Amino acid sequence: MAPLITIERHIIDQQRKYPNATGAFSRLLYDIALSAKIIARESMRAGLVDILGSADTENVHGEKQQKLDIFADATMFHMNDHTGQLCVMASEEQDNIITIPDQFPCGKYVLVYDPLDGSSNIDVNIGMGTIFGIHRKITEGERGALEDCLQPGHDLVAAGYVIYGTSTMLVYSTGQGVHGFTLDPSLGEFLLSHENMRIPEKPLYYSANQGNQKYWTPGVRRYVDWLQGLDAPDHEPLQARYAGSLVSDFHRNLLRGGVYFYPGDLRNPNKPNGKLRLVYEAAPLAFLAEQAGGYASDGIGNILDIKPTSLHQRVPYFIGNRNLVEQAERFIQEYDPEWLARYKPMRVTVTGKRQTATMRVQAES
Ligand code: AHM
Ligand code: MG
C-alpha cells in the first residue's frame, strides 16, 4: 500500500529541510487547512441547513453577501486570530485590515484571503473556493498595519486555494512547487494527491466571460479571435470553458492547460481595471501559476510586480500557460493605446527578489 501523506505530514516534512525552522509557518498552514475543512463541511450542507441564499447585507464592493460568505469569513478569522502566528489579516469581505484582538499575541506573518470566491454560484451548486496569501510582516512594532497587507505578490512567502467542488482540494505552494491535497471525508484529512503540479505545455481551454465582449478593448477582442484559431492557420482553436468561479476556472486550467482572463475594459473610463482584486485573488494565484510553470499578467507585465496602493484594488487579469498570457500582452500593446493611457498601476521590479523572499522565510520560519 502506498503511504498516505496527510497535509500535516507534508508540511512537517517540508519544515525538516530547514534546521532553523521554529514551526510557526507550518502551524499557520495547518490552521488554514483546518479552516478549509470547516468551510468545506458547511458548504456540503448548503441547501440542507439555513445557510443558503443572501444575508441581505452588502460587502465593501456593494455586492450582496451570501450567508456562506459570512460564515467562511468568520471561520478564517476565528481559526487564525489567537494562534500567535499572525500580526494582521485582510479579507475581501472586510473594508479595513483585520487586527489581532488585544488579548492574543502577534506573530510575524500576514494573512490575506478571499474567504469564498465565486460565491454567486452557491445557490446553483457550482464549485467555489477560498484563496489565501501569506506575507512576512514588514512594519515595525508588535501589531501589523495596512502596509503589511499592501505588499507586491513577489514578496508572498506562500499562497494557495481550496476548491469546494466534486471533492474538496487544497493546493498550495511555499515556493517549492505546487502541491495538491484531496480531502478524504471519511478520515477528515487532506491527503497528498497531486505532487509537483505543472501546467501542461499543450493547453486545452480558454476561460472568460464572453458576455462582456461588447465592452472589451480591440486588443482583447483580437486575442479571443486568436485563441479561437481565427486568422491563425497554425494555431488550433482552444475550447471555451467558464465556470464564473475563478478558483474552479484556474484549477481546471492548471490541470489541463489554458488561460483564464478578466480584462480591463472601456465601460467606465475612470475604472479600466476589470473585476478581480489584486491582494486576495490575483497575486496569490499568480504566485501559484509561476510555481507551476505558468504566468499571470495584467496585460502589461507580471502581476507579481504590482504594488497594491489600496486594499481592494482591482486589476485586469490573464493567467495560465505563459505563451498564452504573453500573447495577450502583445495584442494589448499593439491595439489598445486608449486603454493603456488610462491604466497606470504602480510596479516595483526587483529582479531576483521573488526567490530571495521565499527562501528567507523558509530558512527563518
Ligand atoms: P467574488 O470574489 O465576488 O466571487 O468575485 C470574483 C468572481 C470570480 O470567481 C469569477 O471568475 C468572476 O468573479 C466572475 O465574474 P462574472 O460573473 O462577471 O463573470
Ligand atoms: Mg473573490
Side-chain angles (χ1 to χ4, degrees):
M1 175 180 151
L4 293 183
I5 300 184
T6 63
I7 195 163
E8 287 79 8
R9 174 172 167 186
H10 194 262
I11 292 169
I12 290 167
D13 284 351
Q14 298 253 320
Q15 185 191 322
R16 284 212 183 98
K17 293 180 191 159
Y18 302 94
N20 298 331
T22 62
F25 188 61
S26 304
R27 281 194 292 277
L28 172 54
L29 286 172
Y30 175 82
D31 290 331
I32 292 171
L34 187 55
S35 314
K37 286 185 206 172
I38 296 170
I39 298 168
R41 184 191 62 188
E42 207 61 23
S43 62
M44 298 296 270
R45 298 194 302 173
L48 294 175
V49 292
D50 182 27
I51 196 95
L52 255 185
S54 163
D56 287 331
T57 55
E58 288 190 349
N59 67 10
V60 65
H61 311 288
E63 301 156 337
K64 263 196 159 184
Q65 282 181 299
Q66 306 287 317
K67 284 184 185 173
L68 207 49
D69 278 346
I70 298 171
F71 178 85
D73 193 33
T75 301
M76 288 294 280
F77 171 67
H78 289 301
M79 297 308 293
N80 290 287
D81 66 342
H82 59 283
T83 62
Q85 320 303 344
L86 296 174
C87 62
V88 67
M89 295 183 243
S91 161
E92 189 187 290
E93 295 295 330
Q94 306 280 335
D95 296 19
N96 301 311
I97 57 167
I98 309 166
T99 51
I100 301 300
D102 288 345
Q103 69 267 34
F104 300 130
C106 277
K108 58 188 175 188
Y109 294 109
V110 177
L111 176 64
V112 293
Y113 59 88
D114 179 355
L116 204 60
D117 183 67
S119 57
S120 63
N121 288 317
I122 293 173
D123 290 354
V124 291
N125 217 343
I126 289 175
M128 298 166 292
T130 299
I131 306 173
F132 63 89
I134 300 171
H135 287 282
R136 284 195 101 222
K137 185 174 188 295
I138 53 169
T139 57
E140 299 294 322
E142 191 206 347
R143 308 262 139 190
L146 177 61
E147 206 47 43
D148 291 307
C149 301
L150 297 182
Q151 299 187 53
H154 61 222
D155 281 342
L156 280 163
V157 293
Y161 63 85
V162 185
I163 178 165
Y164 311 104
T166 43
S167 60
T168 300
M169 272 190 76
L170 190 151
V171 177
Y172 84 97
S173 176
T174 56
Q176 310 283 326
V178 178
H179 309 290
F181 300 78
T182 303
L183 183 63
D184 180 332
S186 63
L187 293 175
E189 294 282 2
F190 281 109
L191 302 178
L192 182 63
S193 52
H194 299 65
E195 197 167 18
N196 272 321
M197 300 168 84
R198 304 287 298 173
I199 300 179
E201 271 176 34
K202 187 169 162 34
L204 288 184
Y205 300 121
Y206 77 91
S207 311
N209 183 345
Q210 228 153 339
N212 289 332
Q213 188 150 354
K214 170 177 174 181
Y215 308 110
W216 286 350
T217 57
V220 174
R221 289 191 206 191
R222 281 178 189 255
Y223 179 52
V224 172
D225 287 352
W226 180 82
L227 292 170
Q228 293 173 340
L230 301 173
D231 295 329
D234 305 341
H235 181 248
E236 274 181 42
L238 297 180
Q239 299 296 299
R241 293 281 190 284
Y242 187 66
S245 169
L246 173 60
V247 170
S248 305
D249 285 313
F250 175 76
H251 185 71
R252 183 203 319 105
N253 294 347
L254 174 61
L255 292 175
R256 298 280 182 263
V259 62
Y260 167 101
F261 58 96
Y262 208 112
D265 61 41
L266 296 170
R267 214 175 322 192
N268 182 337
N270 300 317
K271 289 187 181 169
N273 288 30
K275 176 174 186 186
L276 299 173
R277 290 77 168 182
L278 174 59
V279 170
Y280 318 102
E281 295 166 326
L285 296 189
F287 181 87
L288 291 175
E290 276 210 1
Q291 284 293 317
Y295 175 53
S297 169
D298 57 354
I300 298 178
N302 199 327
I303 284 286
L304 296 172
D305 290 339
I306 303 176
K307 160 91 175 78
T309 47
S310 66
L311 219 40
H312 297 287
Q313 178 176 342
R314 295 172 193 263
V315 278
Y317 203 41
F318 299 80
I319 185 167
N321 286 71
R322 178 170 281 277
N323 63 327
L324 297 181
V325 175
E326 286 178 346
Q327 186 65 33
E329 290 177 344
R330 282 192 278 275
F331 277 112
I332 287 169
Q333 200 58 45
E334 188 166 353
Y335 297 106
D336 290 338
E338 192 189 344
W339 177 81
L340 285 166
R342 291 180 195 167
Y343 174 69
K344 303 269 177 230
M346 187 190 290
R347 297 199 111 84
V348 281
T349 318
V350 272
T351 317
K353 190 170 176 188
R354 194 165 308 144
Q355 273 207 343
T356 316
T358 304
M359 286 157 62
R360 194 177 58 222
V361 76
Q362 292 282 8
E364 293 176 10
S365 66

